[in-house]
């Protein structure tokens, strides 16, 4: 059976192709369109998935959209009418957006792909999140928690799942919190208030929180009240996201927390405003953690299950994930590599396969590498066309040369195999550097990534020795697999891991098992033999405001436009030194031509 899953029209559009119960291709539209957080109908992603598998649209048994558009339209219409007349300015725009392509998704899919309407199916948004979290996890029975901004109506769901080769698969969502009461919208409101882009800058709030103190926690508690059933509700007098698209926070919010930060305004932690913004970030982060821990703890008591599968955009908050693991009673917290809307394309396809069609359970390969692949020969060709010398090395020589580069303080663009799914670079489209010096972190932020100085970088470490350097609790290696947990750096190593140790002494660790990425594992081992510490800095291969690179041409362009020193793809290595030599030859050639012309 061939099933295509689609997520679109909010943010992070994606497509996923599942054949006979297993994913064969999954990719986010932004990686192909090169538009960050691309929300458009993912035609490029769909075309790549089908072409990669050699499948024609007419071969598909089903196309599954990740939410129910008419139910979402009901929520938009109801919410707008409830807040009338405050919402009167937003009403025409909301109706235009909802009554456009967002509602008529069935027709849109049919027209783009030429598939019959009866083959087009819909899941609910949080069912897609739940399926992406549970059906891809190495567990047979688990509690399920999903949390995001909003799907159709639900913003938080709790439930459980079971997978059995004989009795089939079940995902049961027991209860939900409904819009406008939303942990995701609470956090996104502070994201906007702090001057960051909503649905993109939430991780900046988490990073900024470490520089502040939760001095405003009681004020944040005024915004979110706990209810007798263990859930919560927002005090909507402080918010406007439910009534207007103009801004998400109300005047009363500003009266409580002070003037918001403008996006262009730098965050100077030596000023009163800078400290106020950091304290606001720390406060909302603390309250988010507290509410999630309470909900997860109650779910553990109710289900008695050892595993929690956590999906939705809120599951990208690694600090909260680590506290859930430590304090909720669950032995493992399993977060997929793409817990947000991009992962819903895969979740929708798997939900249709297992639940709608009742197909038998299959073990999903436990990795994030489902996108387009790269070939070092393309980098070799591109470099030669650019008159730049490139080295083609055997595996052992390449690893040793890369260790030499890292030990010399060079920053490396690393492209390998199939593209990752999700917002984290997990070893196939990464920037690698030595982890020892603060200067490396500052250089990366300033000259390579072109981003805020307060942003931390992640370490990557072999699974067998991760606990030697990081205080990873029992079960924490699972969160570390996809860089989904933040854990303390052991105090005795913080000075020697300064580039990857955040201001609060923590790091968002990637715990690498050899089976997931053998080549990067070999590099870590070789670096450890040379320097005594098998840890590297690993961050996504992109510049600020751009998607993670996909093709060789994008990696090469980023290499040329930034402070990267080395680019590696497959067996091929290009250096800035070679690039400078090429420029020197070009300049020399131009000078000779000019001299000849003058002489003539």
């Amino acid at each position: 059976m061939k099933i295509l899953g689609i997520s679109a029209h909010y943010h992070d559009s994606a497509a996923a192709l599942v054949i006979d119960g297993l994913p064969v291709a999954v990719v986010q539209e932004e990686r192909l369109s090169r538009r960050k957080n691309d929300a458009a109908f993912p035609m490029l992603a769909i075309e790549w998935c089908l072409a990669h598998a050699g499948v024609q649209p007419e071969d598909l048994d089903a196309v599954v959209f990740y939410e129910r558009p008419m139910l979402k339209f009901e929520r938009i219409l109801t919410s707008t009418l409830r807040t009338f007349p405050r919402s009167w300015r937003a009403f025409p725009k909301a109706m235009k957006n909802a009554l456009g392509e967002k509602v008529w998704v069935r027709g849109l899919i049919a027209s783009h792909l030429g598939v019959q309407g009866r083959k087009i199916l819909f899941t609910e948004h949080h069912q897609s999140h739940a399926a992406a979290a549970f059906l891809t996890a190495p567990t047979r029975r688990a509690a399920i928690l999903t949390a995001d901004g909003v799907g159709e109506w639900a913003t938080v769901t709790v439930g459980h799942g079971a997978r059995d080769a004989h009795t089939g698969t079940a995902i049961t969502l027991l209860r939900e919190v409904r819009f406008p009461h939303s942990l995701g919208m609470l956090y996104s409101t502070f994201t906007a208030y702090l001057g960051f882009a909503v649905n993109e800058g939430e991780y900046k709030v988490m990073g900024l929180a470490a520089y502040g103190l939760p001095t405003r926690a009681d004020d944040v508690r005024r915004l979110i009240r706990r209810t007798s059933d263990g859930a919560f509700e927002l005090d909507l007098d402080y918010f406007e996201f439910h009534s207007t698209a103009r801004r998400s926070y109300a005047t009363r919010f500003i009266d409580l927390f002070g003037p918001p930060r403008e996006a262009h305004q730098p965050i100077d932690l030596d000023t009163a405003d800078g400290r106020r913004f950091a304290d606001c970030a720390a406060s909302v982060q603390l309250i988010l953690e507290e509410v999630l821990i309470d909900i997860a703890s109650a779910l553990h008591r109710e289900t008695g299950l050892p595993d929690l599968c956590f999906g939705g955009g809120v599951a990208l908050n690694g600090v909260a994930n680590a506290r859930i693991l430590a304090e909720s009673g669950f032995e493992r917290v399993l977060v997929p590599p793409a817990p947000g809307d991009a992962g819903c394309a895969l979740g929708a396809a798997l939900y249709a396969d297992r639940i709608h069609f009742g197909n038998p359970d299959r073990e999903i390969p436990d990795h994030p590498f489902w996108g387009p692949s790269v070939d070092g020969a393309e980098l070799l060709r591109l470099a030669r066309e650019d008159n730049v010398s490139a080295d083609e090395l055997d595996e052992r020589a390449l690893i040793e040369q890369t260790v030499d580069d890292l030990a010399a303080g060079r920053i490396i663009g690393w492209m390998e195999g199939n593209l990752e799914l999700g917002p984290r670079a997990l070893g196939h489209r990464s920037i690698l550097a030595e982890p020892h010096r603060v200067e490396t972190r500052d250089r990366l932020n300033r000259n390579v990534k072109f981003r805020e100085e307060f942003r931390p970088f992640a370490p990557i470490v072999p699974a067998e020795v991760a606990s030697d350097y990081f205080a990873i609790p029992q079960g924490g290696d699972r969160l570390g697999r996809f860089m989904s947990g933040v854990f303390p750096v052991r105090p005795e190593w913080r000075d020697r891991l300064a580039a990857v140790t955040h201001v609060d002494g923590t790091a968002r660790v990637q715990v690498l098992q050899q089976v997931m990425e053998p080549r990067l594992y070999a590099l870590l081992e070789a670096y450890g033999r040379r320097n005594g510490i098998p840890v590297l800095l690993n961050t996504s291969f992109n510049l600020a405001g751009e998607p993670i690179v996909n093709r060789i041409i994008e990696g090469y362009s980023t290499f040329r436009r930034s402070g990267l020193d080395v680019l590696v793809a497959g067996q091929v290595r290009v250096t800035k030194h070679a690039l400078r030599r090429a420029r020197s030859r070009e300049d020399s050639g131009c000078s000779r031509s000019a001299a000849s012309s003058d002489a003539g």
Side-chain angles (χ1 to χ4, degrees):
M1 179 167 271
K2 301 176 180 67
I3 301 174
L4 178 71
I6 297 173
S7 64
H9 299 153
Y10 187 45
H11 60 88
D12 294 323
S13 296
L17 182 61
V18 170
I19 297 179
D20 296 332
L22 293 176
V24 296
V26 192
V27 67
Q28 292 159 248
E29 184 74 0
E30 68 160 25
R31 308 289 165 85
L32 304 176
S33 71
R34 310 309 300 161
R35 290 189 291 270
K36 183 77 169 174
N37 298 324
D38 197 340
F41 186 80
M43 203 61 225
L44 294 175
I46 291 169
E47 289 174 348
W48 180 82
C49 287
L50 296 179
H52 177 73
V55 172
Q56 297 298 318
E58 57 267 25
D59 299 329
L60 294 169
D61 296 288
V63 179
V64 191
F65 195 67
Y66 79 127
E67 63 185 12
R68 297 187 180 278
M70 290 307 297
L71 192 58
K72 190 166 189 173
F73 173 68
E74 173 193 288
R75 187 257 300 167
I76 294 170
L77 179 60
T78 302
S79 299
T80 306
L81 292 177
R82 279 177 180 170
T83 55
F84 198 83
R86 279 188 298 159
S87 61
W88 73 272
R89 291 184 183 275
F91 184 81
K93 184 177 180 180
M95 291 302 99
K96 180 180 178 180
N97 288 341
L99 288 173
E101 59 187 14
K102 292 183 180 181
V103 166
W104 309 117
V105 170
R106 189 186 300 275
L108 188 67
I109 293 172
S111 65
H112 276 301
L113 298 181
V115 298
Q116 299 174 7
R118 63 179 177 81
K119 290 186 176 181
I120 301 171
L121 307 175
F122 300 88
T123 63
E124 291 186 12
H125 187 95
H126 279 257
Q127 288 174 338
S128 298
H129 277 314
F134 175 59
L135 298 179
T136 64
T139 183
R140 291 291 177 182
R141 296 183 67 232
I144 299 173
L145 168 64
T146 68
D148 64 1
V150 61
E152 296 90 357
W153 278 104
T155 66
V156 173
T157 69
V158 295
H160 52 78
R163 298 164 52 199
D164 188 281
H166 303 292
T167 61
T169 301
I171 292 177
T172 304
L173 300 182
L174 301 168
R175 293 178 299 281
E176 66 184 31
V177 177
R178 289 193 145 205
F179 186 85
H181 307 291
S182 166
L183 285 175
M185 295 307 297
L186 170 70
Y187 207 85
S188 292
T189 296
F190 275 90
T191 301
Y193 171 78
L194 292 170
F196 304 124
V198 172
N199 295 324
E200 181 180 347
E202 282 76 8
Y203 55 91
K204 298 182 184 181
V205 178
M206 187 180 75
L208 180 61
Y211 288 87
L213 296 171
T215 57
R216 310 302 300 271
D218 285 342
D219 289 330
V220 179
R221 290 188 183 99
R222 293 170 64 176
L223 276 58
I224 180 168
R225 296 187 291 262
R226 308 307 305 278
T227 55
S228 59
D229 59 357
F232 60 88
E233 61 183 15
L234 301 183
D235 185 339
L236 297 175
D237 289 341
Y238 290 94
F239 301 94
E240 290 187 357
F241 63 78
H242 58 298
S243 61
T244 177
R246 186 172 62 91
R247 68 180 185 184
S248 53
Y249 47 86
T251 300
R252 192 171 177 182
F253 187 104
I254 298 173
D255 293 340
L256 180 60
F257 293 103
R261 171 182 168 262
E262 299 295 334
H264 63 273
Q265 177 185 353
I267 297 178
D268 185 349
L269 296 166
D270 292 327
T271 66
D273 265 353
R275 291 189 295 273
R276 176 170 63 88
F277 295 139
D279 289 349
C280 285
S283 300
V284 71
Q285 175 66 35
L286 176 64
I287 301 310
L288 175 76
E289 295 166 18
E290 290 179 350
V291 176
L292 285 172
I293 290 166
D294 285 351
I295 293 172
S297 299
L299 184 59
H300 179 257
R301 290 191 297 270
E302 180 179 1
T303 64
L305 295 167
D307 290 338
L308 173 67
C309 293
F310 187 17
V314 175
L316 288 166
N317 194 298
V319 177
N321 294 344
R323 284 199 62 191
I324 292 170
L325 175 65
E327 301 177 41
S328 68
F330 286 104
E331 296 175 14
R332 292 193 300 176
V333 177
L334 300 119
V335 177
D341 281 10
C344 282
L346 179 57
L350 291 174
Y351 189 93
D353 183 78
R354 306 293 199 273
I355 308 297
H356 180 79
F357 292 109
N359 290 321
D361 179 60
R362 300 286 303 275
E363 287 291 336
I364 304 296
D366 197 13
H367 66 72
F369 307 121
W370 299 110
S373 63
V374 293
D375 182 355
E378 187 178 351
L379 175 59
L380 191 64
R381 177 188 59 78
L382 191 62
R384 287 171 176 169
E385 287 178 357
D386 206 21
N387 200 28
V388 174
S389 61
D391 299 319
E392 193 168 14
L393 306 170
D394 64 38
E395 186 69 9
R396 182 174 179 178
L398 180 70
I399 293 294
E400 291 303 319
Q401 178 60 65
T402 304
V403 170
D404 289 343
D405 289 331
L406 292 163
R410 299 184 187 108
I411 298 173
I412 298 171
W414 182 265
M415 303 183 73
E416 168 71 17
N418 296 89
L419 176 69
E420 299 96 331
L421 173 67
R424 316 290 191 211
L426 297 168
H428 280 196
R429 302 294 188 276
S430 290
I431 292 173
L432 303 176
E434 58 87 9
H436 311 299
R437 298 176 299 143
V438 168
E439 291 79 9
T440 299
R441 179 199 68 199
D442 294 343
R443 182 184 163 205
L444 269 164
N445 275 328
R446 182 181 61 251
N447 298 335
V448 178
K449 301 282 281 188
F450 306 119
R451 66 182 203 177
E452 299 90 345
E453 292 184 2
F454 64 82
R455 300 272 297 281
F457 288 103
I460 182 170
V461 60
E464 293 80 0
V465 297
S467 293
D468 294 347
Y469 304 98
F470 307 96
I472 299 177
Q474 186 74 24
D477 56 342
R478 182 66 211 183
L479 277 178
R481 185 176 184 85
F482 299 134
M483 214 184 283
S484 300
V486 174
F487 302 108
V489 181
R490 293 198 181 278
E492 63 269 29
W493 293 107
R494 290 177 186 175
D495 287 343
R496 295 191 65 188
L497 295 174
V500 295
T501 300
H502 201 24
V503 67
D504 59 355
T506 65
R508 192 183 69 210
V509 187
Q510 182 183 356
V511 178
L512 184 66
Q513 292 185 333
Q514 185 176 20
V515 68
M516 189 170 108
E517 190 14 73
R519 180 185 239 195
L520 186 53
Y521 188 95
L523 178 62
L524 288 169
E525 285 193 316
Y527 186 80
R529 288 192 297 270
R530 178 79 62 88
N531 293 278
I533 305 178
V535 177
L536 290 174
L537 182 155
N538 175 23
T539 188
S540 56
F541 195 167
N542 67 317
L543 307 184
E546 297 182 2
I548 293 174
V549 301
N550 171 25
R551 301 176 299 161
I552 293 292
I553 184 64
E554 294 143 15
Y556 186 72
S557 171
T558 303
F559 166 71
R560 292 205 57 157
R561 291 182 291 125
S562 71
L564 286 173
D565 299 303
V566 179
L567 176 61
V568 174
Q571 307 299 133
V572 178
R573 172 180 177 269
V574 177
T575 68
K576 276 285 166 62
H577 182 62
L579 193 61
R580 285 192 289 270
R581 285 203 309 265
R583 287 172 176 165
S584 178
R585 288 195 299 269
E586 291 171 0
D587 292 343
S588 176
C590 288
S591 298
R592 286 195 299 271
S593 296
S596 299
S597 177
D598 291 343

